[in-house]
Each structure stands twice: as C-alpha cells, then as structure tokens.
Amino acid sequence: MHLDVVLVTSTWIIFRSRLQVPSYNFQYDDTSKTLSLKGTKCVPVHYAVAGEKAAIPCNISTPLSDDQVSLILWYRVDMPNPIYTLDIRKRTIKEAKHFPSPEIKDRSNFNMSVHPPTLILNPARVEDEAEYKCRVDLRRSRTLILHTKLRIIVPPGDPFIMDEHGQRLRDIIGPYDEGAFLTLSCEVDGGMWRNS
C-alpha cells in the first residue's frame, strides 16, 4: 500500500491510499491447518476517516488456478464470532448469501466486484479501529487467512479565528489602516490521529 498525504487547508489533511496487490507466496501451518502468506511479519494497515467509508480488502486469489472460494468469514481479532460471512457454497458469486453481524448490519457490505474484494463499513466509527482477519475457505485447497489493521482518523472540528483580544471573529473583519499590524490566531478543537 502506498499512502499519500495531501495538505488541503491549514486544518484538514486528506489521506488517500492506493492498494497494490502483489503476487503471494503461501505457507501451510500444520497446527491450524491453514495457509497463510509466507514470510509476512508485517500486517497491512488501511486508514479511514471517521464518518466516511472504510474499505478493508481481502485478496481471495487461490494458490491453485482451478480452485474456487466457498466461504469468506471476516473477524475482528478481538471478537470470537465472525462480523461478516459470505456463503458461496453451492452458488455462484452473484448468488452468494451475505450475513453481516448485528454490530455492523446496517452499515456493511462485502464488495466482490472489485479486486481485491473489499469489506465496506459506511460510515466508519472510531470503535472500528482494530485488527481484522479474513478467512477464505476454498473448495480444494487449504483455508487462507489474511490479516489487516484498520486505523480510524478523527478530523478536527471547524476552525475559529480570534483577534489579539481573544474575540472570535466571523465574516468580514476590519477596517484596518494600511501598514497597521494585525494579529490573528486560529484554533481548532478535537481530532485524533493514532500512529501506533
């Protein structure tokens, strides 16, 4: 993933992410009977702004070219039950059954029309920040488990401008004489950025 930071105004920072889907090298774990990405120590991190759409990708590419997905289960690592299930058993992808959990039912969708397929949370909430696990059950191959972290950015509130006396200014200010000194301050409340 490549992250661009673009300064739009003195109070808003917009984050854009471009997902780059690499080819994967899988490894089999005898204990859990699952396939995972070989040599991956780093969990990909995706960012979303609170109140906007969060997109969490799950690459369902199979190690065998003639294999197919039968079931996709999304978990939050801190919760025991799936938060979203996509059941493709005995169906085509277009006929798949979607089962969101009650916690995200009214604001979630699993978009299979993009590559990689993406779990959408709209709107994203601060409490959505977590590590997620996408479990992909295949018809012939071993289960794939892919981890992703979602970070939520809370933008600051509206800025307000004050004069040298601490008076809040609105609309047009002045008049001021040409060459006179003008002292203004700008304050913004709220906002949260967790860089962990």
Side-chain angles (χ1 to χ4, degrees):
M1 184 183 80
H2 175 75
L3 186 67
D4 291 329
V5 179
V6 180
L7 185 61
V8 176
T9 70
S10 61
T11 57
W12 289 90
I13 296 178
I14 304 292
F15 292 88
R16 297 179 307 190
S17 64
R18 288 183 296 217
L19 183 63
Q20 297 170 343
V21 182
S23 59
Y24 291 113
N25 190 4
F26 295 96
Q27 68 185 11
Y28 178 66
D29 180 1
D30 265 335
T31 309
S32 65
K33 305 288 188 222
T34 61
L35 280 176
S36 60
L37 294 178
K38 188 174 188 177
T40 54
K41 303 273 188 256
C42 184
V43 175
V45 179
H46 298 273
Y47 296 88
V49 176
E52 301 292 328
K53 178 173 75 170
I56 313 168
C58 179
N59 190 343
I60 61 170
S61 300
T62 63
L64 300 174
S65 61
D66 62 341
D67 205 354
Q68 292 180 336
V69 174
S70 63
L71 187 68
I72 299 173
L73 300 163
W74 273 99
Y75 292 87
R76 269 184 60 145
V77 173
D78 58 344
M79 296 176 153
N81 298 321
I83 61 165
Y84 201 99
T85 302
L86 185 73
D87 188 351
I88 311 168
R89 294 175 289 193
K90 300 179 185 174
R91 301 176 174 87
T92 65
I93 287 198
K94 289 182 180 180
E95 299 168 332
K97 299 284 185 182
H98 294 254
F99 300 100
S101 69
E103 296 88 4
I104 63 169
K105 184 176 180 128
D106 296 333
R107 58 188 189 93
S108 64
N109 181 40
F110 191 62
N111 186 354
M112 295 287 291
S113 66
V114 296
H115 182 73
T118 305
L119 178 65
I120 304 294
L121 300 175
N122 193 11
R125 299 178 181 161
V126 174
E127 57 269 17
D128 291 331
E129 181 168 298
E131 185 172 333
Y132 291 82
K133 177 172 70 172
C134 176
R135 178 181 137 183
V136 182
D137 291 346
L138 304 168
R139 295 181 200 267
R140 297 183 55 212
S141 303
R142 300 287 185 176
T143 297
L144 302 173
I145 296 181
L146 304 161
H147 290 260
T148 302
K149 288 182 184 174
L150 177 63
R151 296 284 185 240
I152 302 295
I153 300 164
V154 179
D158 291 332
F160 55 93
I161 310 296
M162 295 181 296
D163 65 14
E164 64 272 8
H165 305 294
Q167 299 266 338
R168 197 177 225 183
L169 302 173
R170 302 173 201 272
D171 301 321
I172 298 173
I173 62 170
Y176 291 97
D177 294 329
E178 188 175 328
F181 287 100
L182 176 62
T183 303
L184 300 174
S185 61
C186 174
E187 288 191 20
V188 177
D189 290 329
M192 182 172 44
W193 164 256
R194 292 182 211 147
N195 193 14
S196 57

